[in-house]
RNA sequence: GGCGUCGUACCCAAGUGGCUCAAGGGAGCAGUUUGCAAAACUGUCAUUCGCCGGUUCGAAUCCGGCCGACGCCUCCA
């Protein structure tokens, strides 16, 4: 069975067929670096990371491009408010973003083009749109895209332009334009822009938001590529506008598959910076969340469903991380790694089918948990073959290469802890349970969990 | 007003006409194991899928209505 995706453009699942066999061009809308990204932003980035990992596992060579929006209203406004340069501001938050990405164990994209580095490319695109009559200039130096010149406008979001209610914001727009819904390709320089601006044939200014993605995606992946992702809120107007610009400029189809991830909710509502009800990654770190437990929370629900992020789920996600991590240790203790010969257990094909079904992570997880239970059971009864152990090892490794739930067990035991363990062992041999229990308790307070097994005591980090 | 999503156990969360079904996880309870714990495993945990009608031999799954929650239409993952 080949992989199927729910293509937002067609609103149905379809088999994925790459433009070039074995390769996938993947463009994902990245952050606007005017502030810290929050956990809701990372829900989308985590989904895109999962997608890339799964495609890679299937053998595709994925070229993943994630843009960094480093010039727009918000970045300019904030830099000006802080009295620093746009570059200083965006560099700061880009750095934070990269740190968070790495902490969450997300694989880096192949490239992170910045909008400010793609201005010439954007100008070229706009020139082409002007030449072909899809865009027009205004007296203030702005350039707008004429949406009525593109009959397919609204196809992605099924929006009928004429039926739209006009918001106050639109009619009060500070820029001149022919029709309220025409969107800016280029915004003429205004005083509030300060020293932010680039020279263009139609005057100094800065790019509109949407043009950067059209420019950078075609630059990195070609005019026509495989997959474009983003959050559902980007469907309109951002992605709709991208399609309009790109297709009108190149005359070619733009993207084959559009994938959109749903929102992450908190307190029953959308988490967003403007509402102030959000968690940054640093907030969650302070609250004691591990990257693995956050990964579980973000990946346990299907990407097209709203998920609830909750501090109450911390315990649940930690239990999962612990179970899977313990499972790995148990396999290692049984030398499973030495028995692996590249064979997978039966459960793997079910897991694969479920992942191939539009990345059905909830059911894929269910498959893995059932498998884990079965193997644990066999280990308990000591009725497991070397072949089964090897296959379990293979499956576990694939599983973790996709979900990344396993917590590293590299830790050093200090001299002091070592002494405590020896003391406890001695107490146990003397059946001095009171002392043994009290040492276990005191170690627990220091962040260590001691477990007694048939092979003696074991220590791990709490 | 237009477009769209969703309502499943104490909590999270799958399933979208019949087949092995209301998956899986967390919490709880009971048990195996253990000196005791922990871990692991076993059992238990929704005759029922917001409510009311309809279609059908058969619906959580399709249709209609109602109630409720949410998103987009303006920057937003």
């Amino acid at each position: 069975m080949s992989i199927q995706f729910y293509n937002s453009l067609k609103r149905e699942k379809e088999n994925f067929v790459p433009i070039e066999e074995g390769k996938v061009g993947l463009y994902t809308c990245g952050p606007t670096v005017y502030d810290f990204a929050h956990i809701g932003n990372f829900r989308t980035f985590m989904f895109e990371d999962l997608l890339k990992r799964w495609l890679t596992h299937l053998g595709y060579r994925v070229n993943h491009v994630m843009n960094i929006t480093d010039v727009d209203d918000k970045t300019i406004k904030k830099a000006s408010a802080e009295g620093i340069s746009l570059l200083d501001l965006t560099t700061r938050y880009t750095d934070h973003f990269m740190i968070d990405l790495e902490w969450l164990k997300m694989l880096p994209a192949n490239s992170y083009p910045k909008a400010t580095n793609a201005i010439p490319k954007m100008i070229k695109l706009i020139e082409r749109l002007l030449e072909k009559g899809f865009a027009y200039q205004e007296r203030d130096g702005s350039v707008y895209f004429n949406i009525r010149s593109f009959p397919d406008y609204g196809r992605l979001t099924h929006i009928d332009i004429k039926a739209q209610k006009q918001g106050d914001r639109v009619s009060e727009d500070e820029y001149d334009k022919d029709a309220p819904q025409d969107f800016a390709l280029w915004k003429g320089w205004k005083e509030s822009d300060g020293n932010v601006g680039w020279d263009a044939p139609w005057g100094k200014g800065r790019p509109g938001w949407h043009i950067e993605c059209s420019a950078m995606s075609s630059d990195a992946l070609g005019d026509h590529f495989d997959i474009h992702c983003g959050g559902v809120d980007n469907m309109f107007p951002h992605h709709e506008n991208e399609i309009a610009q790109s297709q009108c400029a190149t005359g070619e189809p733009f993207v084959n598959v559009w994938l959109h991830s749903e929102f992450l909710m908190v307190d029953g509502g959308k988490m967003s910076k403007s509402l102030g009800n959000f968690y940054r990654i640093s907030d969650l770190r302070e609250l004691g969340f591990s990257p693995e437990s956050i990964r579980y929370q973000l990946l346990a629900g299907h990407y097209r469903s709203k998920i609830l992020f909750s501090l109450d789920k911390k315990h649940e996600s930690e239990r999962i991380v612990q179970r899977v991590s313990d499972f790995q240790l148990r396999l290692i203790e049984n030398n499973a790694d030495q028995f692996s010969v590249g064979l997978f257990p039966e459960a793997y094909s079910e897991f694969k089918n479920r992942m191939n079904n539009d990345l059905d992570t909830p059911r894929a997880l269910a498959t893995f948990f059932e498998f884990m239970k079965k193997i644990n059971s066999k280990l308990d009864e000591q009725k497991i073959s070397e072949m089964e152990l090897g296959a379990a090892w293979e499956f576990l490794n694939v599983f973790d290469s996709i979900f990344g739930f396993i917590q590293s067990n590299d830790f050093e035991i200090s001299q002091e802890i070592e002494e405590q363990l020896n003391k406890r062992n001695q107490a146990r041999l003397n059946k001095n349970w009171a002392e043994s229990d009290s040492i276990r308790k005191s170690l627990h307070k220091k962040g260590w969990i001691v477990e007694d097994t048939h092979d003696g005591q074991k220590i791990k980090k709490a």
Side-chain angles (χ1 to χ4, degrees), chain A residues 255-363:
Chain A
V255 171
N256 282 356
V257 185
W258 287 88
L259 304 180
H260 291 97
S261 60
E262 252 298 347
F263 277 127
L264 177 141
M265 315 290 283
V266 62
D267 302 328
K270 177 180 139 182
M271 183 186 280
S272 75
K273 287 177 192 167
S274 50
L275 293 174
N277 60 341
F278 63 89
Y279 297 109
R280 297 170 180 147
I281 297 305
S282 56
D283 297 332
L284 296 174
R285 284 174 88 152
E286 268 172 40
L287 288 166
F289 278 86
S290 65
E292 291 83 5
S293 85
I294 294 175
R295 293 184 66 93
Y296 174 76
Q297 281 214 40
L298 297 183
L299 296 174
H302 191 263
Y303 77 91
R304 282 190 289 115
S305 300
K306 292 184 181 75
I307 56 169
L308 307 172
F309 186 85
S310 157
L311 300 182
D312 297 340
K313 282 157 104 174
K314 184 165 181 268
H315 176 78
E316 177 181 344
S317 50
E318 281 170 352
R319 284 285 302 137
I320 298 299
V321 169
Q322 195 60 250
R323 273 182 64 194
V324 180
S325 302
D326 283 353
F327 184 58
Q328 185 198 45
L329 287 181
R330 198 170 184 192
L331 287 184
I332 291 172
E333 279 160 18
N334 285 278
N335 303 316
D337 48 333
Q338 291 166 39
F339 302 134
S340 88
V341 290
L343 287 176
F344 285 102
E346 259 177 61
Y348 168 74
S349 50
E350 188 179 73
F351 176 83
K352 186 174 173 181
N353 285 342
R354 290 176 166 186
M355 287 300 285
N356 277 343
N357 179 16
D358 195 30
L359 302 175
D360 189 350
T361 53
R363 292 220 286 165

Side-chain angles (χ1 to χ4, degrees), chain A residues 224-244:
Chain A
H224 178 205
F225 58 93
D226 297 298
I227 305 177
H228 194 312
C229 300
V232 282
D233 54 333
N234 273 160
M235 286 175 84
F236 191 88
H238 187 52
H239 292 162
E240 198 73 73
N241 293 351
E242 274 184 57
I243 293 171

Side-chain angles (χ1 to χ4, degrees), chain A residues 16-32:
Chain A
F16 174 65
V17 181
I19 294 167
E20 196 177 334
E21 204 184 325
K23 289 186 183 175
V24 178
L26 174 67
Y27 187 88
T28 62
C29 282
T32 301

Side-chain angles (χ1 to χ4, degrees), chain A residues 50-281:
Chain A
L50 179 92
L51 167 68
K52 174 172 60 179
R53 286 169 182 254
W54 184 247
L55 286 171
T56 303
H57 171 66
L58 293 179
Y60 290 106
R61 279 178 48 211
V62 182
N63 186 4
H64 176 203
V65 179
M66 178 183 276
N67 68 296
I68 303 287
T69 301
D70 61 350
V71 55
D72 80 322
D73 295 355
K74 289 175 301 219
T75 44
I76 292 172
K77 200 171 159 190
K78 188 152 182 183
S80 148
E82 292 194 14
I84 58 175
S85 74
L86 184 66
L87 184 65
D88 283 348
L89 181 95
T90 57
T91 303
R92 180 207 298 167
Y93 290 112
T94 304
D95 290 349
H96 283 298
F97 178 68
M98 293 301 167
I99 288 167
D100 287 346
L101 274 189
E102 196 185 343
W103 187 74
L104 285 169
K105 296 165 64 169
M106 290 165 63
L107 301 177
N110 298 78
S111 60
Y112 294 98
K114 294 182 179 184
T116 52
N117 288 338
I119 306 281
K121 176 89 191 175
M122 294 188 227
I123 290 176
K124 258 184 215 158
L125 259 180
I126 297 170
E127 278 182 321
R128 228 186 315 171
L129 289 168
L130 280 166
E131 276 165 27
K132 292 188 173 183
F134 293 109
Y136 58 91
Q137 291 181 46
E138 283 292 349
R139 281 165 299 282
D140 67 353
S142 294
V143 180
Y144 292 95
F145 185 90
N146 174 8
I147 57 171
R148 281 160 307 184
S149 68
F150 181 53
D152 255 5
Y153 192 84
R155 194 174 142 223
L156 176 67
T157 46
H158 293 222
I159 276 178
D160 177 2
I161 312 160
K162 295 176 209 88
Q164 290 310 296
K165 193 173 150 184
Q166 286 183 18
D168 297 337
R169 175 85 168 265
V170 175
S171 51
E172 284 174 12
D173 199 290
E174 306 137 77
Y175 298 89
D176 297 326
K177 47 185 169 177
D178 286 358
Q181 291 119 333
D182 286 351
F183 59 89
L185 295 166
W186 189 262
K187 295 183 169 186
W189 185 87
K190 292 184 302 177
E191 217 159 294
S192 58
D193 291 341
N195 58 4
V196 177
W198 289 264
D199 288 324
W202 42 86
K204 187 178 171 180
R206 59 189 169 92
W209 172 34
H210 318 291
I211 195 71
E212 63 170 272
C213 285
S214 287
M216 293 188 278
S217 62
S218 66
D219 203 33
L221 301 170
D223 290 340
H224 178 205
F225 58 93
D226 297 298
I227 305 177
H228 194 312
C229 300
V232 282
D233 54 333
N234 273 160
M235 286 175 84
F236 191 88
H238 187 52
H239 292 162
E240 198 73 73
N241 293 351
E242 274 184 57
I243 293 171
Q245 294 161 352
S246 291
Q247 297 198 357
C248 289
T250 67
E252 270 189 65
F254 179 41
V255 171
N256 282 356
V257 185
W258 287 88
L259 304 180
H260 291 97
S261 60
E262 252 298 347
F263 277 127
L264 177 141
M265 315 290 283
V266 62
D267 302 328
K270 177 180 139 182
M271 183 186 280
S272 75
K273 287 177 192 167
S274 50
L275 293 174
N277 60 341
F278 63 89
Y279 297 109
R280 297 170 180 147
I281 297 305

